[in-house]
Amino acid sequence: GRFTSPHLVRLNERMAIDGEPVGDQQLAEVWADIEPILAMVDAELEAAGDTKLTFFEALAVLGFAVFADAPVDVLVLEVGMGGEWDSTNVADGDVAVFTPISIDHAERLGNTVAEIANTKSGIIKPGAIVVSSAQPTEALTVIEAKSSAIAERIAVYGRDFEVLDVVADMAGQRFSVKTLTSEYQDLFLPLHGEYQAENAALAISAVEAFFGASNRLFDDVLRVALADSTSPGRLQVVSRKPLTILDAAHNPGGAEVLARAMQKSFGSPETVAIISILADKDASALLAALEGTAKTFIITQSSSPRAIAVDELAALATSIFGEERVKTAANALTAMTLARQLVAENGAILVTGSITLVGDVLKNIQLNETDSEGNEE
């Protein structure tokens, strides 16, 4: 099973079994089973003067019920926010995995990397194995302290496992890795961005830790799994003419990674960027990190009610990029139409700044494909 959030187009994406999103009928049937229990809990909470379960808490219950009903042998469970007090943290993880920590959701998780790392380290359970990406020193210090107190052991990128080499091309990248058990040579990953190779090294090491550190994974299984990998909304190429890239970078750290990837993976094409940002994000720092990625920036507003208004975000973008580089569009659909008019012959269109904006664009693409199929029939 795999539980992730948020979704890009359909809620079903958040719960997958054997790589496939849970079907509508199964979701509806499991929801019908748990709805009376959730209603009872809500009533008890309100009687005690508390608020009812949140949307995400109810969704986590639904996910656990779906996976129990399957039943799954292994569950990959992504934390919703933070860690320590997130509703997913009722699960006892045998392996606790940490991707790079930076400032995000500061109003809830803390204003420093150390504070955020402290909240995230709450997912470490007694006797678990901890596997971490390379981290800022202040984050790693917190994770290592928590690990030494209750975990079985900790493995860190750059010390216990790492990518040995990466060769990128337009189809993805080939790389070799040193992991907890051995080395795997000449692996292919159909994803862009060097960080995806590091993510793969993290994932391989996490699986090794789950099975036992002395167990090397079968090469043929690993190669097929990596070659079949997808990462929707993460440097996702949805068109080659013009080159159109969707990346859900929505904080300064993600934007910095995206900027590097546009240079290293795509050769810094002349780019038209479409951007929408949610109001709870550090829009100024995010835009500044993207300054070198595009010649023209189209400011728009995603379908999320939390999206910054076009005029407000455009004013901020103009102060950073200059008036001549900033255009506006009311929504994702009109922004894409404008981008296609502005993009150079060998240029690129980049959609970024918000997961909801990427979802809007993907939904429009899928609707167009459905309409085309219908017309052809």
Side-chain angles (χ1 to χ4, degrees), residues 55-319:
F55 168 79
F56 188 80
E57 286 169 339
L59 200 67
V61 176
L62 177 60
F64 287 134
V66 165
F67 299 129
D69 192 51
V72 299
D73 298 302
V74 180
L75 175 59
V76 178
L77 182 64
E78 183 192 25
V79 172
M81 184 187 296
E84 181 179 12
W85 38 259
D86 190 81
S87 54
T88 58
N89 205 32
V90 298
D92 290 324
D94 296 300
V95 181
V97 182
F98 294 88
T99 53
I101 296 173
S102 61
I103 301 292
D104 198 6
H105 301 293
E107 74 286 353
R108 297 179 181 178
L109 303 183
N111 294 311
T112 68
V113 168
E115 288 176 336
I116 294 173
N118 185 63
T119 302
K120 290 181 179 287
S121 68
I123 69 169
I124 301 173
K125 300 300 171 66
I129 299 174
V130 178
V131 184
S132 174
S133 294
Q135 301 287 357
T137 301
E138 55 267 44
L140 186 59
T141 299
V142 172
I143 294 171
E144 287 190 314
K146 184 64 176 286
S147 299
S148 64
I150 65 172
E152 178 182 322
R153 61 192 179 90
I154 179 173
V156 179
Y157 184 91
R159 184 179 71 196
D160 305 292
F161 63 96
E162 62 185 332
V163 175
L164 299 177
D165 57 79
V166 181
V167 179
D169 59 33
M170 290 302 288
Q173 52 197 309
R174 290 195 173 276
F175 65 102
S176 300
V177 293
K178 170 184 170 291
T179 64
L180 304 184
T181 66
S182 55
E183 293 184 7
Y184 302 89
Q185 300 292 329
D186 194 32
L187 301 171
F188 174 70
L189 187 68
L191 305 176
H192 298 283
E194 286 187 7
Y195 73 93
Q196 293 285 22
E198 295 180 8
N199 283 344
L202 179 71
I204 295 167
S205 296
V207 174
E208 287 181 339
F210 180 79
F211 282 121
S214 62
N215 292 321
R216 175 185 170 91
L217 305 183
F218 291 118
D219 274 62
D220 54 347
V221 174
L222 177 60
R223 291 181 189 280
V224 170
L226 289 174
D228 197 38
S229 295
T230 62
S231 187
R234 303 291 179 181
L235 289 175
Q236 181 183 4
V237 176
V238 294
S239 174
R240 292 288 178 183
K241 290 187 177 181
L243 177 62
T244 304
I245 304 161
L246 310 184
D247 191 87
H250 55 277
N251 57 39
E256 291 167 5
V257 171
L258 169 59
R260 290 195 297 271
M262 288 299 292
Q263 177 185 12
K264 292 186 176 182
S265 298
F266 299 102
S268 299
E270 184 175 310
T271 300
V272 177
I274 300 173
I275 297 178
S276 174
I277 302 174
L278 300 188
D280 60 343
K281 303 301 179 183
D282 187 347
S284 181
L286 198 161
L287 291 173
L290 294 173
E291 199 278 336
T293 62
K295 178 181 180 181
T296 303
F297 294 86
I298 300 175
I299 303 302
T300 189
Q301 187 171 343
S302 76
S303 59
S304 170
R306 294 160 52 208
I308 300 173
V310 172
D311 292 345
E312 180 184 345
L313 187 58
L316 180 59
T318 298
S319 70

Side-chain angles (χ1 to χ4, degrees), residues 318-337:
T318 298
S319 70
I320 295 172
F321 306 135
E323 186 175 354
E324 68 282 355
R325 296 174 66 191
V326 177
K327 310 289 184 185
T328 61
N331 53 50
L333 188 60
T334 55
M336 283 296 294
T337 300

Side-chain angles (χ1 to χ4, degrees), residues 17 21-32 62 65-67 69-70:
I17 295 175
V22 174
D24 292 344
Q25 182 175 346
Q26 185 178 3
L27 269 185
E29 289 175 352
V30 176
W31 176 256
L62 177 60
V66 165
F67 299 129
D69 192 51

